[in-house]
Amino acid sequence: MVEEPTLQWELATGYDFVTSLDVLHHPDRYGLRGSWAAGVRSRLPVEQRETLQTFFKSHNFLLLPWLISLNGPKDSLSVLENLSEIPPAERLPTFLENSMWVHTKNVLLNVAHKQSFSEEDIDELRQAHQAYMKEQGIKKKLATADIEESLTIWAQSEKFGDGLLNGLKTYYEVFFSEEEKRILPALEDTVEYAKSLSEKMDLEPLLNALSQGVRFELPKRDAMKTIVMVPSFWTTPLALLSHLDANYENWVFMFGGRPANRSLVPGETVPELLHQTLKALADPTRLRILRYLAQEPLAPAELARRLRLRPPTVIHHLDALRLARLVHVTINHEGRRYEARREAIDSACSMLNQFLDG
């Protein structure tokens, strides 16, 4: 019998402090209105805004392993205090100390040391990125322009280390200090709810329930010793499961911490999940996809052949269905397979009735 790993629960707004910037710079990925995200970003002075935009375009989750490694409180001010204690030239390399992107790490540290990069560095980073994407079951290539932009950051690591801290401080002052107060009660409730589920469920169904539709196949299940459980208000419903060491003993699981009846946009009266669900169901192609997926699990390529559509178009529709929690997605080394999440339809009808009743 496989021993269950130890779950270490994190209740820390510092994670949302960082991930919210990823959401604001990639709003389409999270189903957020681009105009609202642009409005928040516009509150920052131009220099800080451009620095954060450049960093979070390609380094969105680089801070996560570093955050996990911190001791003590992990609210936003504590994160800023810890960052300020690291010399500017060492900030970016420090983020890589606990990173499992081994080949990527070596390339970036070498570029930071040289303060320049070559065509060979571009090729090495491309290969390292493709190896990581394959491990995650994601078929995505990195454009040369994006690789060069990333290497430019590392060739100027001291400049970006200083600019990143200034940008984060300003972001906290103009927006996140108030946002932190808004989301904390929801994160507290999520941790209590997740803990209660963990007492009744084995690991696999627990991860599926908390991710709201992701079924993780765990090839290193026997090696798992601990999982850091991190609720995130801003990244709901997307989930992240990643190992933190080469032995696959320590993991992090970031899952949704925003209630279904709450919106990411402060003051929005229409529940975000209701809006996402109705928008997803209003498209005839997505309805056809759901009908196919109600009959059997299918990969995006299989759906593309049945629908006679290009795979990127099908993936776009599947992403919308995933944001609406209308599908299960199974993730393994071979890729992703989807199936309809029928219980979500019942939940959507109930949510609509509750909204209409006030």
Side-chain angles (χ1 to χ4, degrees), residues 132-203:
Y132 175 75
M133 289 293 103
K134 184 177 180 180
E135 178 184 323
Q136 299 298 313
I138 302 172
K139 295 180 180 179
K140 181 180 179 181
K141 293 184 178 180
L142 202 60
T144 300
D146 292 334
I147 295 175
E148 291 178 347
E149 187 174 58
S150 179
L151 291 176
T152 299
I153 292 175
W154 287 86
Q156 304 173 25
S157 57
E158 182 171 5
K159 173 187 173 182
F160 270 93
D162 188 51
L164 177 62
L165 178 59
N166 291 332
L168 289 173
K169 284 181 176 178
T170 305
Y171 173 64
Y172 175 78
E173 292 167 0
V174 303
F175 176 74
F176 202 80
S177 59
E178 289 301 316
E179 179 66 3
E180 191 166 38
K181 300 172 186 176
R182 180 177 79 105
I183 69 175
L184 182 57
L187 295 178
E188 292 172 339
D189 291 343
T190 299
V191 168
E192 291 305 311
Y193 169 70
K195 284 182 177 179
S196 68
L197 283 186
S198 69
E199 296 171 356
K200 300 177 286 188
M201 292 182 172
D202 291 333
L203 180 62

Side-chain angles (χ1 to χ4, degrees), residues 19-38:
T19 58
S20 62
L21 281 161
D22 183 56
V23 178
L24 290 171
H25 287 93
H26 304 90
D28 292 345
R29 183 185 301 169
Y30 296 90
L32 178 65
R33 291 202 309 269
S35 58
W36 185 80

Side-chain angles (χ1 to χ4, degrees), residues 1-197:
M1 182 177 178
V2 179
E3 183 178 350
E4 291 291 291
T6 301
L7 305 183
Q8 299 179 354
W9 300 94
E10 289 268 31
L11 177 56
T13 51
Y15 290 99
D16 273 287
F17 178 46
V18 172
T19 58
S20 62
L21 281 161
D22 183 56
V23 178
L24 290 171
H25 287 93
H26 304 90
D28 292 345
R29 183 185 301 169
Y30 296 90
L32 178 65
R33 291 202 309 269
S35 58
W36 185 80
V40 175
R41 297 196 306 269
S42 70
R43 301 185 196 182
L44 297 167
V46 173
E47 183 177 357
Q48 284 90 342
R49 183 167 71 243
E50 291 180 349
T51 297
L52 292 178
Q53 179 175 324
T54 301
F55 184 84
F56 281 92
K57 179 179 179 180
S58 56
H59 294 73
N60 44 348
F61 286 108
L62 185 62
L63 288 167
L64 185 57
W66 174 75
L67 268 173
I68 294 170
S69 71
L70 294 180
N71 295 317
K74 297 180 185 178
D75 57 280
S76 303
L77 287 178
S78 297
V79 170
L80 291 172
E81 183 179 349
N82 277 278
L83 273 177
S84 64
E85 293 175 354
I86 306 172
E90 298 177 17
R91 281 185 190 130
L92 299 190
T94 297
F95 300 153
L96 285 176
E97 289 179 1
N98 296 288
S99 171
M100 282 310 300
W101 306 341
V102 179
H103 300 299
T104 302
K105 182 188 332 187
N106 293 338
V107 177
L108 297 179
L109 290 177
N110 183 45
V111 168
H113 176 72
K114 296 187 301 181
Q115 299 183 28
S116 64
F117 62 90
S118 63
E119 288 295 328
E120 183 179 353
D121 295 317
I122 294 174
D123 290 338
E124 284 189 30
L125 187 58
R126 179 183 289 109
Q127 293 172 16
H129 180 268
Q130 289 175 348
Y132 175 75
M133 289 293 103
K134 184 177 180 180
E135 178 184 323
Q136 299 298 313
I138 302 172
K139 295 180 180 179
K140 181 180 179 181
K141 293 184 178 180
L142 202 60
T144 300
D146 292 334
I147 295 175
E148 291 178 347
E149 187 174 58
S150 179
L151 291 176
T152 299
I153 292 175
W154 287 86
Q156 304 173 25
S157 57
E158 182 171 5
K159 173 187 173 182
F160 270 93
D162 188 51
L164 177 62
L165 178 59
N166 291 332
L168 289 173
K169 284 181 176 178
T170 305
Y171 173 64
Y172 175 78
E173 292 167 0
V174 303
F175 176 74
F176 202 80
S177 59
E178 289 301 316
E179 179 66 3
E180 191 166 38
K181 300 172 186 176
R182 180 177 79 105
I183 69 175
L184 182 57
L187 295 178
E188 292 172 339
D189 291 343
T190 299
V191 168
E192 291 305 311
Y193 169 70
K195 284 182 177 179
S196 68
L197 283 186

